[in-house]
Amino acid sequence: ASFDAARIERLALRTGERTVIVEGSQGRLLPTGQLVFVQAGKLYAIAIDATTFRALGPPVAVVDSIMTDPSTGAAAYGVSANGVLAYIRGGQWVPGRRLLGIGPGAPPRLALGERGPFQSPRYSPSGRSLAVEVDAANDDIFLYDQRDGTSRRVTFESGSNVAPTWAPDGSRIAFASNIRGRYNLYILQLTGSGTVSRLSTSDQIQFPTSWSPDGSVIAFTQIGLQSGADAWIVPLGAGHPRRLLYTQA
């Protein structure tokens, strides 16, 4: 639920052994043997044994209010090689974005009355609902009804669920989730049982982008180390993903 529960670990490169040092985020090891990290909007320092990387005592608060991003665990600070700390005060920073709708020959209008850390808004085919990714430590997808102003959360998997993409008939949403590691493709049934089914299994990062008009094929972006981002398609039901456009660009 929060990056305050993230683990800062020591990784032994030769053996792959991982050891938890402390809970928090944005950890940085200093040449002087301290580990600095952020928890609950504060910057802490803790002495570390150079051999075992075990903590040599309790953390000590260094800055009582530091600007942090709760959706990524990032914190606005830096430490120079000679030990000078630079930072920005301010506590948690949550973007208060507004969703605006615009049509031909019409001025922008509010598509959603409230502000929030919104990303990737997508209108349903009927235009009544708006699927929106809400940034947090674990992102989730919400549906906002344009008629009565109500909202409901529709993804509950224990990971980040992003990039909502509507089926042509509005009965389903394709999205990307990292619940099993890399972002892969999933489909959420909005009517009836509300079940979630996995559409792809890959060690590459994948995000859905669009459905074919008949709802039988989904186009998606796949990001790999060799060629960057490429266009792929996957048929629903029987069939395997295949490359549509694969270049070094």
Side-chain angles (χ1 to χ4, degrees):
S2 166
F3 274 92
D4 290 340
R7 296 186 301 269
I8 298 173
E9 300 181 345
R10 174 217 184 207
L11 171 65
L13 297 179
R14 291 183 178 178
T15 65
E17 179 188 4
R18 290 162 56 164
T19 305
V20 177
I21 301 174
V22 69
E23 287 190 346
S25 65
Q26 200 75 6
R28 296 179 182 173
L29 190 61
L30 305 184
T32 50
Q34 287 86 25
L35 175 74
V36 288
F37 65 97
V38 173
Q39 192 177 68
K42 296 181 180 181
L43 183 68
Y44 290 88
I46 189 169
I48 299 296
D49 184 280
T51 303
T52 65
F53 278 72
R54 301 287 184 183
L56 296 178
V60 176
V62 178
V63 177
D64 60 4
S65 176
I66 192 165
M67 183 176 287
T68 59
D69 183 345
S71 69
T72 64
Y77 81 92
V79 184
S80 70
N82 63 353
V84 176
L85 169 68
Y87 64 94
I88 300 175
R89 287 188 178 274
Q92 288 193 343
W93 175 80
V94 178
R97 303 187 183 105
R98 294 190 303 166
L99 293 180
L100 300 177
I102 188 169
R109 63 176 180 81
L110 276 176
L112 189 62
E114 62 187 89
R115 291 175 178 263
F118 303 129
Q119 296 270 22
S120 305
R122 297 291 184 269
Y123 275 113
S124 65
S126 69
R128 174 170 178 169
S129 294
L130 194 62
V132 180
E133 171 192 327
V134 178
D135 287 350
N138 286 312
D139 305 333
D140 275 300
I141 296 169
F142 286 70
L143 295 188
Y144 291 85
D145 192 301
Q146 296 290 280
R147 296 181 186 177
D148 59 21
T150 60
S151 66
R152 64 186 177 103
R153 178 181 169 185
V154 294
T155 57
F156 297 90
E157 287 64 40
S158 58
S160 284
N161 306 292
V162 300
T165 307
W166 289 90
D169 63 0
S171 66
R172 294 168 292 173
I173 286 179
F175 65 98
S177 178
N178 63 0
I179 185 175
R180 297 288 183 261
R182 297 287 190 185
Y183 279 105
N184 281 177
L185 307 180
Y186 293 78
I187 292 181
L188 167 67
Q189 188 74 37
L190 294 174
T191 58
S193 62
T195 56
V196 173
S197 57
R198 188 170 189 173
L199 182 59
S200 67
T201 301
S202 175
D203 59 359
Q204 307 296 311
I205 296 172
Q206 301 171 329
F207 297 103
T209 53
S210 62
W211 295 62
S212 62
D214 65 359
S216 65
V217 177
I218 291 179
F220 65 96
T221 298
Q222 179 164 298
I223 303 172
L225 294 177
Q226 301 303 319
S227 66
D230 295 299
W232 288 62
I233 58 174
V234 57
L236 277 68
H240 299 283
R242 66 179 179 88
R243 296 182 298 197
L244 191 66
L245 187 62
Y246 183 84
T247 72
Q248 293 303 311

